[in-house]
Structure formats: structure tokens, C-alpha cells
Amino acid sequence: MVDNPYTPGQIPRILAGRRAELRRIEDRLARVVAYGELGGPLLVFHAPRGLGKTSLLRAAERNAETMGFASAWVACSRERQVLPELVRSLQTALERSDAMPRGGAGGRWRKRLQSVTVEVGLPGAKVQASVASPPAATEEPIATAPIAALEGLLHDTATLVRRRGGAGLLLFLDELHTASADDMSVLLNTLQNLDGHREDNPLAVVAAGLPVTPEALTRAATFGERSAFVSLDVLSDEDARALLVGAAAAEDVTWSDRALQAVIAESRGYPYLLQLIGSTTWEAAPPLAGGQLDLADVRKGLPAARDQLAAMHRARWGAASPLQKSFLAAMAAAGVDNVTRAEIAERMGRDSRSISVPRDRLIEKGVIEPVGHGLVRFTLPEFGAFVRSLDDA
Ligand SMILES: Nc1ncnc2c1ncn2[C@@H]1O[C@H](COP(=O)(O)OP(=O)(O)OP(=O)(O)O)[C@@H](O)[C@H]1O
Ligand SMILES: [Mg+2]
């Protein structure tokens, strides 16, 4: 028996597709390498859950490290303050890339990192700072102290990496939509300042988050809209096929055409589902080296995949408030992929303006997503059918 090479819920061993997206990141890095300058404005990938944002960033991280970048990774979360986490990630990046000086200089660096961690994390520090210093010519009074501290630190970290023979610093901010508006504002202002001396700052910042991320950044600072936003879509049939075939090939296992078509049809290009059904097919088989996965294996594995998907449906439903549930039920009852606001409101027996709160909250959580012209759809396949099957919906 051979190891199951599919990774539902984990970073894939091989990233399928996403060539254009990787190229966007590499273009940024090329600028840092060639000119030792800032790799452009904040680059933000956004998509609903499970589309492969983290996987993309991790693949870019691997590439960047082979190009000589020191990379820092922040998994933003509502439970923790983002900026102190960012500073800690810079320390890890320096230590891991061997750029941290030894002896006394290293000690001074660690002390400074510590003090900036405190400075950007002090509750109320931002408010105090904005009171102490006259508001700059921006739309709102903003705190300058944490911005200056972070700006200086990013500059010094990136130039230290460069001086020690590296290409520069690459900072990843995953789940950026969970950062507070204050933290986003400090971050955007810091990057804007670094851009003012672009030629002195050999670094690039790449972020990922749910589809609300662009709006949240723009709300935090109007110039946030000048970040580069790239949405991730489901994988094309060709890339879906490459995902399935590539992982198995590494274990010397092949797929029959019929089996591939069945999995691609069932998962509709949704990367998480491709990994999940790839995995359940494998477990159902399980193949020997040199073997082939066939349609019968796919069918045998599907109940396990559907159980897993149903558990995810139940978790999302369970986490919804009563009003959100009634919104979801109205959407599901419509029975079409893309549902209009008016139809949802009518089925809920409410005024169309009054459903904004549950709608926005569900979008924020990544349960539904807007698809233009006031339409929304579920982000998880079969969620509508699941809701229709419930007694209490
Ligand atoms: N391009 C890809 N090639 C192979 N597998 C992928 C690819 N993209 C995503 N996956 C797989 O899909 C699943 C979800 O990927 P990932 O965690 O990167 O998504 P995400 O967009 O970061 O989701 P979330 O919003 O929940 O954090 C993982 O199991 C991963 O293995
Ligand atoms: Mg992720």
C-alpha cells in the first residue's frame, strides 16, 4: 500500500494551477531582487474559504526562499492583535534565515523587536498617540507612533537581510480580513510611508483573506483601495485534473479517465473538494504502486466525502444566528445558484433594506458571497440542498 498523497485541509504537496497568481508575486519579488526596492503596493488575494489562498501563499514562500528572501508569516486572527504578531514573525524570519547578527548586535536587535512589539500592541496607544501629535493631512487623525516604529523596523529588517547577502524581506499576512481596522490602518500607513522611499526598502508584502478584505482595507484607510486586489477562482478542469494526477503520479499511481471526470464533475473545481474526494477515492481503493484508480473507487469513496461535507454544512449552519438562519433558508428555498436580494427579503417577509445586517455578516464569515448586481450565492457546494433538507430551516 502507498501513502495517501491527498491533503484535504492541509497545504498540498504540489500546488496545481495558479500560474498567473504565482507570476504576480514573482514579478514583485523580481523588483526587490533587481533594484533592492519595494515590490509595489500591498498585493491581496481574496476568495471564499477553501479556494487555496493559504496554499498559494505557502507555495510563493517556498519559491521566495530559494530566491534568497527571508520570509515572515503572520496568520491574522480576531483573537490576537495582529501587529505584535507581525513583529514576532520578523524576529522568526531573521533567526531562520540566519540574518540575525550574532553577539551584542543580535542582543540589541532582540531588545528592539521586543520594544516595538510592546509599542504596536499597547491598548490605547494609538488613541494616545493621535491625541499627542497633531493630525496629519489625512482623512482621520491617526496614530503616528506605531506607524513610525513599524516603518523603521521593516526598513531595518529588510536592509539587514539584504546586507547579509539575502534578496530582501517577504512578508505574508494570511486571513487579513480578521485584522482590526486600527491595525489595518497602521499597516497601510506604514506601507505608504515605505513607498515614499521605495528605493531604500527591499521588501514586499503579500496578503490573503476572505472576499470582504478589499472593502475592509478601504474602510480602514481610503488609500487602501490602491492595494492590488486579485480574486481566486475555482480551478479550471485542466488544473483540477493536474491536481489529481500530479499527487498520484508522485506515488506511481494513475487515474482512469472516467474516474477523473467523475471527481472533477463532483467537485466543480473547488480545490478542497478535489483533495477530499481524491483522498476518499484513495482510501477506498487503496492502490498499490503502479496501480490505477477507477470509477468504482470514486463511487466507493463518495459517501465518506459527502459525510465530511455534511459535517462542514452542519458546522456553518450551527454557527449562524437565528436571523442568519432565516436568511440562509430563504436563499436555499429560492433553489437557484445566484439569488437576488429582493427575493430573499420577500421570502423572509421583510423589507429589502432591512436584511443588510445578516447578509453582510454571512459574507464576512465566508458562508455566502456577492456575485454582482445584488446577487449572492453559497460558497460551499451543496449547501443549499443541505439547508433544504433540514426540518428547522
Ligand atoms: N492549487 C492547489 N493545488 C492543490 N491543492 C490545493 C490548491 N489550492 C488549494 N488546495 C487544497 O484545498 C484545500 C484548501 O486550501 P487552502 O487552505 O489553501 O484554502 P484557503 O483559501 O486558504 O481557505 P481558508 O479561507 O479556509 O483559509 C487544502 O486542502 C489544499 O490542500
Ligand atoms: Mg487559508
Side-chain angles (χ1 to χ4, degrees):
M1 215 171 81
V2 201
D3 272 355
N4 184 341
Y6 295 98
T7 53
Q10 287 171 298
I11 301 305
R13 297 183 197 169
I14 311 169
L15 187 81
R18 306 298 188 214
R19 278 173 293 271
E21 292 82 0
L22 283 172
R23 202 166 319 118
R24 297 269 316 232
I25 302 175
E26 276 156 21
D27 287 348
R28 302 290 175 101
L29 300 187
R31 263 171 75 176
V32 180
V33 172
Y35 308 111
E37 69 171 33
L38 191 74
L42 179 63
L43 176 58
V44 184
F45 294 96
H46 57 97
R49 299 236 162 264
L51 272 253
K53 301 175 293 295
T54 304
S55 301
L56 171 71
L57 263 49
R58 284 293 182 195
E61 182 185 39
R62 287 197 295 270
N63 293 347
E65 284 177 358
T66 65
M67 292 167 76
F69 277 86
S71 69
W73 184 282
V74 186
C76 306
S77 125
R78 289 196 206 287
E79 272 79 63
R80 289 186 305 273
Q81 284 183 293
V82 167
L83 299 177
E85 203 72 20
L86 194 168
V87 177
R88 275 192 287 273
S89 79
L90 293 178
Q91 170 150 8
T92 312
L94 285 176
E95 313 266 10
R96 261 200 335 172
S97 66
D98 246 0
M100 183 69 91
R102 298 188 205 294
R108 282 192 295 281
W109 259 96
R110 291 189 186 90
K111 259 209 198 102
R112 170 162 176 213
L113 284 155
Q114 195 94 61
S115 82
V116 178
T117 308
V118 174
E119 173 140 28
V120 297
L122 278 181
K126 286 156 205 164
V127 182
Q128 277 168 21
S130 62
V131 173
S133 58
T138 50
E139 63 266 3
E140 280 168 27
I142 45 158
T144 50
I147 297 169
L150 199 58
E151 180 190 344
L153 185 63
L154 281 168
H155 165 83
D156 290 354
T157 308
T159 43
L160 175 67
V161 172
R162 187 99 179 162
R163 264 210 320 277
R164 295 182 72 93
L169 175 71
L170 176 56
L171 173 60
F172 291 104
L173 304 166
D174 199 8
E175 303 270 317
L176 183 58
H177 62 276
T178 62
S180 68
D182 270 350
D183 283 355
M184 282 191 194
S185 159
V186 169
L187 200 73
L188 289 165
N189 278 281
T190 302
L191 291 178
Q192 168 149 290
N193 290 356
L194 289 167
D195 189 48
H197 306 273
R198 147 170 2 132
E199 60 291 347
D200 299 330
N201 292 303
L203 68 108
V205 187
V206 179
L210 291 179
V212 288
T213 317
E215 202 185 310
L217 283 167
T218 306
R219 237 185 290 126
T222 49
F223 58 85
E225 74 193 11
R226 294 201 293 270
S227 309
F229 298 116
V230 183
S231 68
L232 285 189
D233 207 344
V234 294
L235 295 176
S236 67
D237 282 3
E238 190 193 332
D239 291 337
R241 184 176 273 264
L243 183 154
L244 294 165
V245 171
E251 305 295 334
D252 194 22
V253 168
T254 57
W255 284 80
S256 77
D257 245 354
R258 299 187 308 167
L260 280 178
Q261 277 162 21
V263 179
I264 292 168
E266 182 78 20
S267 57
R268 291 186 252 160
Y270 192 74
Y272 173 77
L273 284 187
L274 285 161
Q275 293 284 357
L276 177 64
I277 305 174
S279 174
T280 57
T281 303
W282 189 281
E283 296 296 330
L288 299 169
Q292 183 170 68
L293 297 166
D294 201 0
L295 188 56
D297 304 317
V298 177
R299 290 203 177 122
K300 217 164 106 195
L302 269 184
R306 292 206 175 113
D307 279 355
Q308 169 64 22
L309 194 59
M312 292 166 70
H313 290 148
R314 276 194 298 276
R316 288 188 180 192
W317 180 255
S321 71
L323 186 60
Q324 291 164 9
K325 281 183 178 154
S326 112
F327 188 102
L328 294 171
M331 249 179 97
V336 290
D337 280 350
N338 302 335
V339 194
T340 64
R341 189 188 186 104
E343 171 149 21
I344 298 167
E346 194 186 315
R347 286 179 184 276
M348 289 173 77
R350 284 172 159 256
D351 181 81
S352 144
R353 272 161 310 181
S354 77
I355 61 170
S356 296
V357 173
R359 177 182 176 275
D360 292 354
R361 202 57 208 115
L362 287 165
I363 292 175
E364 250 168 64
K365 291 206 277 189
V367 177
I368 63 173
E369 62 181 330
V371 281
H373 305 295
L375 295 157
V376 286
R377 69 174 173 214
F378 295 118
T379 57
L380 204 57
E382 304 301 328
F383 193 72
F386 164 79
V387 173
R388 284 192 296 274
S389 78
L390 292 169
D391 293 334
D392 61 339

